[in-house]
Amino acid sequence: MQAAMMMNRSKMLCRVWLCGAAIWLATAAPASAFLAYVSNEKSNTVSVIDTDSWTVTATIKVGQRPRGIELTRDGKSVLVAVGDDDTIQIIDVASQKVVDSLPSGPDPELFTQDATGKILYVANENDNTVTVIDLEKRVRMGDVQVGVEPEGMAISPDGKILINTSETTNMAHFIDTATREIVANVLVDARPRFAEFKRDGSELWVSSEIGGTVSVIDPAKRVVTDKIEFNIPGLRREAIQPVGIGMTRDAKTAFIALGPANRIAIVDAATHKVIKYLLVGQRVWHMAFTPDEKYLLVTNGVSNDVSVIDVTAQKVIKTIQVGELPWGVAMARP
Amino acid sequence: MIRWLIGAISLCAVTSSALAAEPLTISIGYLGQAGIKATLSLVELPSENDGIAGARLAIEDNNTTGRFLKQQFRLEEVRVKDGDDVAGAVRDLAGRSTFIIADLPPDALLQAADAVRDRGGILFNVGAADDRLREADCRANVIHIAPTRSMLADALAQYLVWKQWKRWLLVVGSHDDDRLEADAYRRAAARFGAKIVQERVFEDTGGARRTDSGVTLIQRQIPVFTQQAPAYDVMIAADESEVFASYLPYRTWDPRPVAGSAGLVPTSWHAAQDQWGAVQIQNRFNKLNSRRMTARDMQAWLATRMIGEAASRTNSGDGNAILTFLKSPDFSIAGFKGQRLTIRDWNLQLRQPILLVDGRMVISVSPQEGFLHQVSELDTLGIDRPESKCRLQ
């Protein structure tokens, strides 16, 4: 009896100590430290970057050809599409290990979650479908037939409309998330790669890699209302290939990755005018903000590195070597 | 801004009218030759559906897109034999299809183009590499998807010059097409600063390409044929007729690489091409046709996709509307080659990067870095606007 009480007391003491240690650790860690997860398409790895020290702190082995990468809404896992293994792997943020996989269709590339984090919508490049997956049960709920080579995925801020772009059909498909039917198709320029809503739902931006433009779509009328073009002196038009788009929460500034132009365009999101071009690494594709939006990390595929942009200063402050052909990046709290 | 607004309004009109309209059917004809051209290598022997298999895939792709725009695409195949009445065949086909994908030799192609010109027929050349079809013999109703011999030779030359392999030994076959290919290499050497140190002709004395003890004989012939050459870096073979080029690699008297018709070959497409999303089309093609995709398949895919792309942008199946769009600066097509493909408005040739392949891998893609051009670096390949003799009529 007494022994049991002793045990309890020591357990309690232990808990108090652990709790204290946790508080100490939390306060000791600088407020800006997040973890960026970078998918390396050729290395079959995910590099983990500490945004305080700006160093790679871990390299996680994943399946073949990791591309699309995102943090789950609960912040516990990072999902990474491994196209050549026809699945999406789940990396546990706590242990930084692959713990499970999801039943996507063939060759998954990009995906998006609904607001609750319960449903995952996946673009499957190989069979012209968007697959709907129940994230909790980890089962496939259904498919939506879309255009040729589905790629970009976005969900409207009210959760009602899912956008999928198809690269050879050159459309943004509007899918009703309740009925899973296509309700509208908007033609954009060649090879649409990425879709992003403004936080207030007033605009949908779609990048066209081969067309060299970003289409601004009115999501209510479902028409293209403006097109952003990029003119960089001394650079031929064919080299300007917009892919990734990042927009600040206040919807004032957008960052657009221009692929082999090796630049990020900073665009006034209200006027759709390019403010500035930042030189980054070679073949820049995707990006993610730190949660405090102080920094933007962009992946440079051909130079095998990640550029860090100071969002306020609009300057590149750092370059970090990662694995081969870095593709996507997702941001997590440690 | 105003331009984009107008664009937006017209796009809006396209989507809304498309939704209301009845399905539009667009017929595409495929006019090819019967029979298969023999090759030295058994693995390079073309399939019977070489070319049209690519068009079939593009019809599927167009129809997937067409579902959303109420457009349907159909393909009709016609084959002509040597000596057949090409003009008659194409006139008959043009009665059903304004758009005709033509995989024909140069003279037959010209006959076909002239036969359907008055009725507004538009040809897409996917088979003939002859520069003259884009030069003195150019036609306003023929769009050329196949790259020219000069584009192919320039693509290879840029790489060889970058590699500092500038001394070429040119070996030319004894047929007319081989001589035309050699002309393209001579021109490329002069343009990019290579030197042809010597030329040799490989006479076609006839005989079978496949024999039971061929290798033994070839192993004796080729070293003898290539000995006593002046110092050279690379042997260039001009052998479109498939008589000898594939016998050269590893058998030359001097240990030198071979390029041109064998060894390092310039081509518009190859089954090993996997960059820029190409794995997707390779997979789709393989699934549909149970074989690998060739350059001719890709050329036919592109032609069919260009018609589909123009139909979706103009919301029309009308020949004039589609031809006008294809010729306009608004047209471009994605062809899994890392950049947009557009049309040279002075001779209707599709601009395109050229792959350099060794039969198993893509070794490089031209234009090479550093070969600059004031309009498009793709125009460093082939005959450029200022040199062109084409007057489109």
Side-chain angles (χ1 to χ4, degrees):
Chain A
M1 183 72 175
Q2 208 162 6
M5 272 181 72
M6 283 286 285
M7 273 289 282
N8 275 341
R9 194 177 294 162
S10 68
K11 251 189 198 167
M12 233 163 79
L13 269 173
C14 187
R15 255 181 225 158
V16 169
W17 184 86
L18 269 178
C19 190
I23 289 166
W24 176 80
L25 272 175
T27 44
S32 69
F34 308 105
L35 291 179
Y37 287 75
V38 179
S39 58
N40 301 306
E41 185 182 359
K42 195 166 168 67
S43 303
N44 295 342
T45 57
V46 167
S47 303
V48 184
I49 297 171
D50 179 306
T51 69
D52 183 41
S53 63
W54 298 122
T55 52
V56 175
T57 55
T59 302
I60 304 166
K61 278 200 165 177
V62 295
Q64 296 182 74
R65 207 172 180 208
R67 287 183 285 173
I69 188 163
E70 229 185 83
L71 184 73
T72 53
R73 300 274 188 217
D74 62 12
K76 287 181 185 161
S77 318
V78 168
L79 305 177
V80 57
V82 283
D84 283 0
D85 285 341
D86 298 332
T87 186
I88 291 175
Q89 288 181 320
I90 305 173
I91 299 171
D92 176 39
V93 170
S95 64
Q96 297 195 341
K97 281 200 171 75
V98 174
V99 290
D100 205 352
S101 60
L102 294 171
S104 74
D107 199 10
E109 186 165 354
L110 276 172
F111 49 84
T112 191
Q113 303 159 65
D114 72 342
T116 62
K118 284 182 183 154
I119 296 176
L120 189 73
Y121 299 97
V122 189
N124 295 309
E125 285 203 312
N126 256 356
D127 67 354
N128 305 344
T129 58
V130 166
T131 302
V132 188
I133 296 170
D134 183 322
L135 263 178
E136 283 176 334
K137 293 184 190 142
R138 298 181 181 174
V139 293
R140 200 162 162 171
M141 297 163 71
D143 293 308
V144 184
Q145 282 294 316
V146 292
V148 184
E149 293 165 33
E151 167 108 6
M153 300 288 286
I155 203 154
S156 63
D158 64 8
K160 287 182 180 159
I161 294 291
L162 173 74
I163 302 295
N164 163 254
T165 67
S166 46
E167 290 176 332
T168 292
T169 291
N170 301 329
M171 281 179 184
H173 305 288
F174 283 60
I175 300 161
D176 184 326
T177 52
T179 61
R180 291 184 205 146
E181 299 279 338
I182 292 181
V183 290
N185 302 289
V186 177
L187 268 172
V188 293
D189 286 338
R191 218 165 164 77
R193 289 290 299 264
F194 196 79
E196 179 90 348
F197 275 96
K198 267 193 184 169
R199 208 52 74 95
D200 63 0
S202 63
E203 285 177 4
L204 167 71
W205 290 28
V206 175
S207 62
S208 292
E209 183 184 21
I210 295 294
T213 59
V214 170
S215 296
V216 178
I217 296 169
D218 178 337
K221 294 188 186 127
R222 294 163 184 169
V223 292
V224 176
T225 54
D226 201 358
K227 266 187 205 184
I228 304 169
E229 285 200 341
F230 308 91
N231 294 302
I232 304 170
L235 216 61
R236 65 207 161 87
R237 206 170 154 223
E238 290 95 336
I240 299 173
Q241 301 184 352
V243 178
I245 303 171
M247 235 184 275
T248 54
R249 274 191 291 270
D250 61 13
K252 282 189 179 154
T253 316
F255 294 81
I256 297 166
L258 298 180
N262 307 335
R263 280 162 179 85
I264 293 279
I266 305 181
V267 177
D268 182 323
T271 63
H272 308 149
K273 293 266 180 298
V274 179
I275 304 165
K276 192 173 178 180
Y277 294 102
L278 297 179
L279 196 60
V280 289
Q282 287 178 285
R283 202 219 67 189
V284 56
W285 265 4
H286 288 289
M287 61 184 82
F289 289 101
T290 51
D292 58 12
E293 285 194 349
K294 277 190 184 164
Y295 303 105
L296 178 70
L297 275 70
V298 303
T299 54
N300 307 314
V302 176
S303 45
N304 299 334
D305 52 27
V306 164
S307 299
V308 181
I309 294 166
D310 181 320
V311 172
T312 325
Q314 301 188 341
K315 279 199 171 103
V316 177
I317 57 157
K318 205 100 190 164
T319 304
I320 304 156
Q321 281 291 314
V322 290
E324 282 182 281
L325 291 186
W327 198 94
V329 51
M331 204 65 72
R333 290 177 188 275
Chain B
M1 180 70 190
I2 288 171
R3 215 180 91 212
W4 287 124
L5 269 179
I6 294 168
I9 290 162
S10 61
L11 256 181
C12 164
V14 164
T15 11
S16 54
S17 60
L19 286 176
E22 282 297 299
L24 173 73
T25 301
I26 297 167
S27 297
I28 299 173
Y30 191 101
L31 185 61
Q33 275 194 306
I36 290 167
K37 189 187 155 194
T39 58
L40 286 176
S41 164
L42 199 55
V43 297
E44 286 182 350
L45 205 60
S47 297
E48 274 183 19
N49 64 358
D50 190 28
I52 193 165
R56 288 196 184 114
L57 177 64
I59 289 281
E60 283 205 349
D61 289 348
N62 285 353
N63 280 335
T64 304
T65 302
R67 265 194 308 133
F68 305 116
L69 296 170
K70 298 214 168 169
Q71 293 181 341
Q72 261 188 341
F73 294 83
R74 274 202 323 233
L75 189 68
E76 183 187 349
E77 181 180 6
V78 174
R79 297 275 168 184
V80 286
K81 292 192 291 289
D82 277 345
D84 275 4
D85 174 20
V86 176
V90 75
R91 261 191 230 109
D92 177 55
L93 189 56
R96 297 180 295 278
S97 313
T98 310
F99 312 103
I100 294 166
I101 297 170
D103 181 7
L104 296 169
D107 287 330
L109 183 86
L110 291 176
Q111 268 180 46
D114 295 340
V116 296
R117 194 183 147 167
D118 289 343
R119 59 171 73 208
I122 303 158
L123 265 59
F124 293 78
N125 167 26
V126 300
D130 301 73
D131 283 272
R132 71 176 167 103
L133 296 174
R134 291 81 164 167
E135 292 300 310
D137 291 337
C138 70
R139 297 287 189 275
N141 64 335
V142 183
I143 295 175
H144 303 276
I145 314 300
T148 59
R149 290 192 182 96
S150 65
M151 289 164 76
L152 296 167
D154 288 351
L156 179 62
Q158 286 187 4
Y159 178 78
L160 297 179
V161 166
W162 176 83
K163 201 75 194 64
Q164 299 291 337
W165 293 344
K166 294 183 181 175
R167 294 173 304 173
W168 299 357
L169 181 69
L170 181 62
V171 184
V172 188
S174 55
H175 296 276
D176 287 347
D177 286 350
D178 308 335
R179 289 188 199 104
L180 290 170
E181 194 183 345
D183 287 345
Y185 281 113
R186 285 184 204 106
R187 177 181 169 275
R191 263 183 118 195
F192 298 112
K195 188 170 190 283
I196 294 171
V197 296
Q198 196 184 70
E199 288 191 25
R200 292 184 181 190
V201 175
F202 194 106
E203 285 293 340
D204 183 6
T205 50
R209 287 188 174 81
R210 240 160 293 291
T211 52
D212 275 345
S213 51
V215 166
T216 319
L217 196 62
I218 294 157
Q219 193 169 326
R220 286 183 201 150
Q221 282 173 345
I222 299 297
V224 174
F225 175 74
T226 56
Q227 72 180 340
Q228 288 179 334
Y232 70 98
D233 300 312
V234 58
M235 182 177 289
I236 308 283
D239 176 36
E240 270 189 32
S241 314
E242 288 275 339
V243 172
F244 67 95
S246 295
Y247 295 151
L248 297 174
Y250 308 105
R251 294 191 180 104
T252 52
W253 181 269
D254 301 297
R256 294 289 178 273
V258 176
S261 297
L264 188 64
V265 178
T267 178
S268 73
W269 192 251
H270 193 267
Q273 156 68 348
D274 62 355
Q275 301 173 81
W276 303 301
V279 174
Q280 296 170 59
I281 191 169
Q282 304 280 21
N283 285 341
R284 277 211 305 284
F285 184 90
N286 222 316
K287 203 168 154 187
L288 183 69
N289 296 300
S290 305
R291 64 169 177 82
R292 293 184 176 136
M293 192 173 191
T294 68
R296 202 168 300 246
D297 294 323
M298 175 42 103
Q299 283 150 204
W301 183 86
L302 270 173
T304 314
R305 272 291 302 131
M306 282 164 66
I307 299 163
E309 175 71 7
S312 72
R313 299 287 170 192
T314 57
N315 194 33
S316 167
D318 175 64
N320 268 331
I322 284 183
L323 186 61
T324 307
F325 177 79
L326 290 176
K327 287 180 184 174
S328 79
D330 293 334
F331 167 75
S332 73
I333 189 107
F336 304 93
K337 291 207 194 167
Q339 57 179 290
R340 70 177 74 187
L341 312 181
T342 54
I343 286 181
R344 291 176 178 155
D345 59 6
W346 67 89
N347 65 358
L348 307 185
Q349 167 68 47
L350 187 73
R351 292 184 176 95
Q352 55 196 298
I354 298 294
L355 313 179
L356 305 176
V357 303
D358 73 343
R360 286 159 47 91
M361 294 296 280
V362 176
I363 306 298
S364 187
V365 183
S366 286
Q368 296 294 318
E369 211 177 329
F371 290 89
L372 304 177
H373 192 275
Q374 65 277 21
V375 179
S376 163
E377 277 158 35
L378 294 176
D379 286 347
T380 64
L381 306 178
I383 295 171
D384 199 2
R385 183 196 300 270
E387 327 157 75
S388 178
K389 293 186 190 76
C390 170
R391 299 288 170 266
L392 284 175
Q393 292 174 22

